[in-house]
Amino acid sequence: MKLLLLSLCLGLAWALQDQSQVPVQLGFCPEQVAGPWQTIKLGATNRSVIEDGGAYLCFMTGIQILANGNLNVTYFHRKDGNCVKEYYIAEKTDIPGRYTFEYEGQIYLTFVFVSNIAAIIDLENHSESGILTVVELHGRTWFVDKQGLEAYREHTSRRGIPQRNIVNLLASRKLPSIILKNGHKC
Ligand SMILES: *[C@@H]1O[C@H](CO)[C@@H](O)[C@H](O)[C@H]1NC(C)=O
Ligand SMILES: *[C@@H]1O[C@H](CO)[C@@H](O)[C@H](O)[C@H]1NC(C)=O
Ligand SMILES: *[C@@H]1O[C@H](CO)[C@@H](O)[C@H](O)[C@H]1NC(C)=O
């Protein structure tokens, strides 16, 4: 009975997400996203969440695949003026490439695009005040090729994120402090 209720709830939660707008990378395999990453760009439907002090101004530095298929994702973000390192467990769903986790509410995490050079992650947060969408561009190094940049442009536009709501972390002054201090300042 409990299990039935749980699956009903999960089913309802999934129904809330308009999946047609969030394609998953075809043939997604988790091994492809494991290992170190650098966050290159962040875009959001509400710009303030990715500005200084925003809850989504985050730097993803690595993904580890757990034995049960979930992902252990390392993020650096600012908390009370300090740069903190945190691990989020993204729980797998029935759809390869789509996960959920808890961060200020239930978040749907989708790998929209994955190559050997770049990865695009779509985050969607539902609340009473509406839906917040954040789209992240990560690179294996600080370089992202044309294909990755084009996929990012395409997906942010599909999600209704205007250019002015996209932060290029490569260009921001935050970057050198992250590299130099080895993630202890962001
Ligand atoms: C955008 O997010 C901020 C918090 O970061 C919130 O105060 C504001 O109400 C949000 N704006 C909209 C239009 O949802
Ligand atoms: C996630 O990774 C960190 C660092 O390796 C580790 O300390 C933590 O226990 C991991 N979490 C889980 C649930 O495996
Ligand atoms: C995410 O959604 C939760 C409710 O599920 C809400 O409390 C939280 O404020 C939202 N976060 C942002 C940054 O909008």
Side-chain angles (χ1 to χ4, degrees):
M1 187 60 198
K2 253 189 190 153
L3 200 66
L4 180 69
L5 266 178
L6 183 69
S7 58
L8 267 176
C9 291
L10 287 176
L12 277 176
W14 279 113
L16 282 170
Q17 191 190 32
D18 178 5
Q19 301 189 12
S20 62
Q21 276 198 17
V22 194
V24 185
Q25 171 65 58
L26 282 177
F28 174 86
C29 96
E31 285 73 22
Q32 239 191 318
V33 299
W37 289 100
Q38 314 281 0
T39 302
I40 312 273
K41 286 186 180 190
L42 295 172
T45 46
N46 178 347
R47 196 181 202 281
S48 72
V49 306
I50 50 167
E51 286 171 344
D52 276 355
Y56 289 84
L57 178 58
C58 300
F59 305 86
M60 197 268 280
T61 56
I63 295 177
Q64 196 195 344
I65 306 168
L66 301 176
N68 60 8
N70 292 340
L71 304 181
N72 188 349
V73 188
T74 311
Y75 271 106
F76 283 89
H77 73 107
R78 212 183 293 180
K79 208 176 194 174
D80 306 324
N82 295 313
C83 185
V84 295
K85 184 183 194 176
E86 276 176 346
Y87 301 99
Y88 293 96
I89 304 304
E91 293 174 23
K92 65 175 182 184
T93 67
D94 290 343
I95 302 166
R98 192 162 277 157
Y99 299 81
T100 69
F101 72 102
E102 289 290 326
Y103 176 65
E104 300 206 346
Q106 177 89 356
I107 302 211
Y108 305 97
L109 183 160
T110 306
F111 287 92
V112 173
F113 172 90
V114 182
S115 73
N116 291 333
I117 295 169
I120 297 172
I121 293 179
D122 181 290
L123 299 173
E124 190 173 295
N125 184 17
H126 295 255
S127 69
E128 281 136 42
S129 54
I131 297 173
L132 169 74
T133 306
V134 177
V135 179
E136 309 174 334
L137 176 66
H138 308 285
R140 283 299 186 185
T141 66
W142 297 109
F143 168 80
V144 168
D145 60 348
K146 220 171 151 191
Q147 193 197 15
L149 289 173
E150 180 55 25
Y152 187 75
R153 197 202 51 75
E154 206 175 280
H155 188 64
T156 47
S157 129
R158 179 192 287 133
R159 297 294 262 155
I161 297 173
Q163 274 301 315
R164 64 176 182 280
N165 283 18
I166 296 174
V167 176
N168 186 348
L169 299 171
L170 273 182
S172 96
R173 280 180 301 133
K174 288 169 207 85
L175 194 61
S177 58
I178 290 213
I179 295 174
L180 293 174
K181 305 223 169 124
N182 204 14
H184 293 297
K185 197 163 178 276
C186 52

